[in-house]
Amino acid sequence: MFPETPFYYYDTALLRTTLAAIAKEIAPYPNYHVHYAMKANANPRLLEIIQQAGLGADCVSGGEVQKAIDAGFPADKIVYAGVGKSDREILTALQHDIFCFNVESIPELEVINELAAREGKIARVCLRINPDVEAHTHTHIITGMAENKFGIALHDMLQVVQLAQQLSNISFLGLHFHIGSQITNMQDFVALCQRINEIQHLLHKHAIYPSVINVGGGLGIDYQTPSEHPIADFKAYFRVFTQHLHLRPEQSLHFELGRSVVAQCGSLITRVLYVKQTATKQFAIVDAGMTELIRPALYQAKHKIHHAIPSLHHATQRYDIVGPICESSDVFDKDVLLPITQRGDLLAIRSAGAYGESMASTYNCRPLPPNYTDEEVDLPL
Ligand SMILES: *Cc1c(COP(=O)(O)O)cnc(C)c1O
């Protein structure tokens, strides 16, 4: 029986191929470690596959730390970032003895030190540095510019490193960076490497030798032609770091990839409820909305949309594809050329594996979307 729409469909075979592509690229570098950024998609079935492939977890809340542990990620492969970690969240991470806190301010560092002392623990930390490097992506997903809330300003770095080295229950491991998301211009990562080289040079002058460098995530994927490019360009991505980042032999390099791991394996499957014609427009009103996939409404993101089961029509028309939610921003895309479309047609909104299901809400009292894999539903995607 074909499931009721809307639902998320995950191609687990593609996820496994993607993970194998990552493993192949980092195999020559035993000091490279990839942590999967769980906020991209925390579906337990995907987490299991990702964990089994040997990736660690990158968390941005205590809930994610707990979920990573529950999914079987070893605690010593879990890193935890976030500008606003609550005491309870810090305690959760301390109790599990995670690999590293990525610390974003002096007051946070002091609180972690205090809580660690109370728990009789030593908290390993990297300092998240705001490198003031511009990522050429949507302004809402740029994180590494001086004006962003994330990280410690370059100007304050030395002082904070020295503080971290003095605090009794803190073990200073190194530096963390994350400049943004959906970055497709490799020059942005080259600029990050150059900035990290400058920073390390400066720290060496003060006899500070970080053992960990964490360059965050952000590798982009192809939203326009997902079927032609189902796997992100991991070769070009890792090559940037092997070629441009100067590491000492004992340093480890950590990555936090989210979108590029899971985006292409997911599609949101939705049915056309009504085709509505107005004086100027033709709308295909579908049964999924911004409650299932908020990216188009939140950051004007574009997803490829096509019939999930090939249409019998050859003639095409243009449609604005919109959801049922009572918000004008509940639009998936405008003027999409589709074969003539009718009530009941099944559409696939592609590349929805990252920041799709994990951002779903119950606005308008809608239920959260169910999910199925390629082992349960047969779709020619
Ligand atoms: C969101 C996030 C990531 C993952 O970003 P992607 O663009 O999905 O790869 C990595 N690190 C941190 C700190 C993040 O907040």
Side-chain angles (χ1 to χ4, degrees):
M1 200 192 72
F2 198 79
E4 238 179 88
T5 52
F7 64 87
Y8 272 97
Y9 168 81
Y10 295 115
D11 181 345
T12 58
L14 177 57
L15 175 59
R16 288 176 212 275
T17 313
T18 305
L19 291 163
I22 295 172
K24 172 168 173 268
E25 294 306 326
I26 64 168
Y29 308 101
N31 61 329
Y32 283 21
H33 305 276
V34 178
H35 306 264
Y36 167 62
M38 277 179 61
K39 72 177 187 289
N41 192 323
N43 183 304
R45 299 203 278 182
L46 304 189
L47 291 183
E48 188 185 345
I49 295 170
I50 294 166
Q51 179 270 113
Q52 281 170 357
L55 273 67
D58 165 42
C59 303
V60 292
S61 74
E64 284 190 359
V65 170
Q66 189 59 55
K67 201 156 181 189
I69 297 280
D70 295 345
F73 286 92
D76 65 1
K77 289 186 180 179
I78 297 178
V79 297
Y80 174 22
V83 289
K85 300 179 187 78
S86 72
D87 292 19
R88 177 184 292 278
E89 291 177 308
I90 292 167
L91 286 170
T92 299
L94 282 172
Q95 281 151 8
H96 288 299
D97 252 321
I98 63 162
F99 171 61
C100 181
F101 289 86
N102 291 324
V103 172
E104 310 217 9
S105 67
I106 292 180
E108 181 196 331
L109 185 64
E110 290 171 338
V111 168
I112 293 176
N113 181 55
E114 237 176 78
L115 293 174
R118 202 203 289 168
E119 293 289 302
K121 303 252 183 189
I122 302 289
R124 287 169 294 274
V125 310
C126 278
L127 298 177
R128 178 170 181 172
I129 306 302
N130 185 325
D132 201 16
V133 167
E134 182 169 6
H136 295 88
T137 184
H138 191 277
T139 49
H140 290 182
I141 51 177
I142 291 176
T143 54
M145 297 278 289
E147 74 227 41
N148 298 124
K149 71 177 176 182
F150 298 102
I152 293 160
L154 276 176
H155 171 265
D156 302 324
M157 177 184 63
L158 194 56
Q159 181 209 347
V160 188
V161 172
Q162 286 166 341
L163 175 64
Q165 290 181 319
Q166 283 159 22
L167 290 173
S168 59
N169 290 68
I170 297 289
S171 162
F172 169 72
L173 292 189
L175 306 175
H176 172 246
F177 305 85
H178 175 65
I179 59 173
S181 198
Q182 184 51 21
I183 298 167
T184 50
N185 183 345
M186 292 302 120
Q187 284 311 309
D188 293 340
F189 293 116
V190 173
L192 173 63
C193 290
Q194 288 164 345
R195 182 54 54 86
I196 296 173
N197 293 339
E198 290 165 19
I199 290 172
Q200 293 226 77
H201 186 71
L202 176 112
L203 292 178
H204 292 174
K205 284 201 226 157
H206 293 266
I208 294 165
Y209 300 96
S211 60
V212 169
I213 298 293
N214 182 334
V215 293
L219 175 62
I221 59 123
D222 183 350
Y223 281 98
Q224 279 98 47
T225 54
S227 297
E228 288 82 344
H229 302 112
I231 298 189
D233 195 351
F234 295 113
K235 186 180 272 307
Y237 174 71
F238 288 110
R239 194 168 52 213
V240 167
F241 297 93
T242 59
Q243 293 192 336
H244 296 275
L245 189 62
H246 304 151
L247 292 180
R248 296 189 317 283
E250 72 278 13
Q251 278 186 311
S252 63
L253 182 60
H254 296 250
F255 301 87
E256 301 170 336
L257 297 174
R259 186 190 310 270
S260 55
V261 179
V262 289
Q264 298 293 34
C265 79
S267 296
L268 176 58
I269 308 299
T270 181
R271 229 177 253 289
V272 176
L273 292 173
Y274 304 104
V275 174
K276 170 161 135 176
Q277 189 82 52
T278 68
T280 52
K281 283 278 182 189
Q282 181 163 241
F283 294 98
I285 302 167
V286 299
D287 63 4
M290 62 192 289
T291 41
E292 286 72 41
L293 179 64
I294 201 176
R295 299 187 66 257
L298 193 60
Y299 358 85
Q300 291 114 42
K302 287 229 185 286
H303 289 256
K304 175 93 182 160
I305 303 175
H306 58 75
H307 280 75
I309 292 164
S311 164
L312 301 174
H313 291 280
H314 291 292
T316 55
Q317 289 187 2
R318 292 199 180 269
Y319 299 88
D320 280 17
I321 300 172
V322 303
I325 310 301
C326 299
E327 296 289 339
S328 298
S329 59
D330 185 31
V331 174
F332 286 117
D333 204 356
K334 295 187 175 176
D335 295 316
V336 182
L337 198 61
L338 288 179
I340 289 176
T341 296
Q342 348 177 297
R343 172 174 168 81
D345 284 6
L346 208 56
L347 301 182
I349 305 179
R350 301 290 305 277
S351 315
Y355 307 105
E357 192 185 349
S358 63
M359 284 187 165
S361 79
T362 57
Y363 183 44
N364 286 194
C365 292
R366 287 166 63 85
L368 291 172
N371 62 87
Y372 302 94
T373 69
D374 50 336
E375 285 144 19
E376 295 159 343
V377 175
D378 194 21
L379 276 174
L381 294 180

